[in-house]
Amino acid sequence: MNRDTQRAKAEAFRAMHDRSRILVLPNAWDAMSARVIEEAGARAIATTSAGVAFSVGYPDGEAMPRDEMIAAIARIARVVTVPVSADIESGFAHDARELAETVRRVIDAGAVGINLEDRIHDGAPSLYDLEVGVRRVRAAREAADSSGVPIVINARTDVYLLAIGEADTRFEHAVRRANAYRKAGADCLFIPAVTRRADVERIVPALEGPLNLLVAPGIPPVPELERLGVARLSVGTRLTLGAMSTLRNTVAELLSTGTCESTLEGATTYAEANHLMASRRS
């Protein structure tokens, strides 16, 4: 992908966060799933770190080699024309220099956005100190700017997801982190594990940038989230797990009864799948 095309995609992706219409981002884990998602009408695609890791034989949590993660992003970006945002977890990096290198390589792979967590993936679940988290967002922003591609940085804080601190302190803690990341150069602010309507109503006006939420049990439906001012909704690993569940159930049926009827009704045909991949446009 040439840089002019990539810059145009990045700007188009940024415009999707203007809160005039919620951006629903289905998460792909390989080229085939990306093409299916694009063909279904998605305006943009995000990768899922867990789904990508599972697809190449590793658990989630920066266990897969960085090179494999970047190669998967490149395959996804190659086969679709819509913008692709890459879930790079915490950057597969322990310092700002390594993080900047990851960002540059992900841009070279064709991504026009990233998710960047403030979670430390070594040992017990914990978050980087706020000052360190800010430096990491700033390093990602500087790396993107120096590349000439104005990627959309979706800065994620896992205060709610990891249940950091007492429950009544999480709102202020998460908002403080998110707003600091916004000042450091983030375009969108991701707070997974927020599902209650009352929490959404409280968080949206407290943030200094667009809010990204994650699909989870109990979260309001998309139209209501849009009315509440949520800018972006990620599906995360749910599509990957759904595909795994279908495969498991089909194989169990085949091995126990000798049939695979569950895969036949409404199934994509070989010809349709082959045409879908042959008709990739980038």
Side-chain angles (χ1 to χ4, degrees):
M1 185 188 308
N2 68 57
R3 279 292 196 252
D4 289 341
T5 299
Q6 197 170 7
R7 279 191 290 270
K9 283 190 178 185
E11 294 295 356
F13 188 45
R14 176 170 286 100
M16 294 177 194
H17 295 74
D18 65 0
R19 286 176 269 195
S20 62
R21 173 187 173 194
I22 191 170
L23 173 61
V24 178
L25 275 180
N27 297 77
W29 61 94
D30 62 7
M32 182 183 69
S33 60
R35 284 292 290 126
V36 170
I37 290 167
E38 180 182 44
E39 196 74 5
R43 293 190 287 156
I45 292 171
T47 67
T48 158
S49 66
V52 170
F54 300 159
S55 73
V56 296
Y58 295 90
D60 194 21
E62 295 192 358
M64 64 178 157
R66 181 173 65 173
D67 287 351
E68 296 223 32
M69 180 269 292
I70 292 170
I73 292 165
R75 288 191 291 270
I76 289 169
R78 177 179 60 83
V79 301
V80 298
T81 60
V82 297
V84 173
S85 181
D87 183 351
I88 65 170
E89 302 190 61
S90 296
F92 289 74
H94 292 96
D95 59 40
R97 182 190 58 79
E98 288 181 347
L99 175 58
E101 175 64 15
T102 297
V103 172
R104 285 190 290 268
R105 292 185 62 188
V106 166
I107 291 171
D108 288 342
V112 297
I114 60 168
N115 275 10
L116 181 62
E117 305 170 9
D118 59 4
R119 178 176 182 169
I120 301 172
H121 284 284
D122 292 342
S126 60
L127 305 183
Y128 283 103
D129 289 342
L130 179 56
E131 296 77 10
V132 176
V134 166
R135 288 200 297 272
R136 291 167 66 83
V137 172
R138 189 175 295 124
R141 180 82 274 157
E142 291 171 355
D145 290 347
S146 67
S147 77
V149 179
I151 64 169
V152 174
I153 297 177
N154 190 37
R156 170 176 144 175
T157 182
D158 282 355
V159 171
Y160 280 85
L161 185 65
L162 299 183
I164 301 294
E166 297 299 321
D168 61 358
T169 68
R170 290 173 197 154
F171 166 78
E172 290 187 1
H173 187 183
V175 167
R176 182 171 66 254
R177 281 181 172 267
N179 284 338
Y181 299 155
R182 173 71 166 175
K183 289 184 175 69
D187 302 282
C188 190
L189 308 170
F190 190 10
I191 310 181
V194 171
T195 58
R196 298 192 310 161
R197 189 182 195 280
D199 290 334
V200 178
E201 287 181 316
R202 192 180 180 197
I203 289 171
V204 168
L207 292 183
E208 296 171 5
L211 172 63
N212 183 182
L213 293 181
L214 178 68
V215 169
I219 198 168
V222 171
E224 185 174 353
L225 291 174
E226 184 172 88
R227 287 194 297 271
L228 292 171
V230 176
R232 170 168 156 172
L233 181 68
S234 299
V235 180
T237 192
R238 290 187 173 271
L239 298 179
T240 310
L241 298 180
M244 290 176 70
S245 298
T246 298
L247 175 62
R248 180 181 60 193
N249 294 341
T250 300
V251 173
E253 177 189 341
L254 178 63
L255 296 179
S256 63
T257 69
T259 66
C260 52
E261 296 300 318
S262 62
T263 67
L264 299 179
E265 185 176 355
T268 301
T269 67
Y270 167 81
E272 290 168 338
N274 205 45
H275 175 74
L276 184 68
M277 299 311 297
S279 63
R280 63 188 187 275
R281 293 167 289 169
S282 65

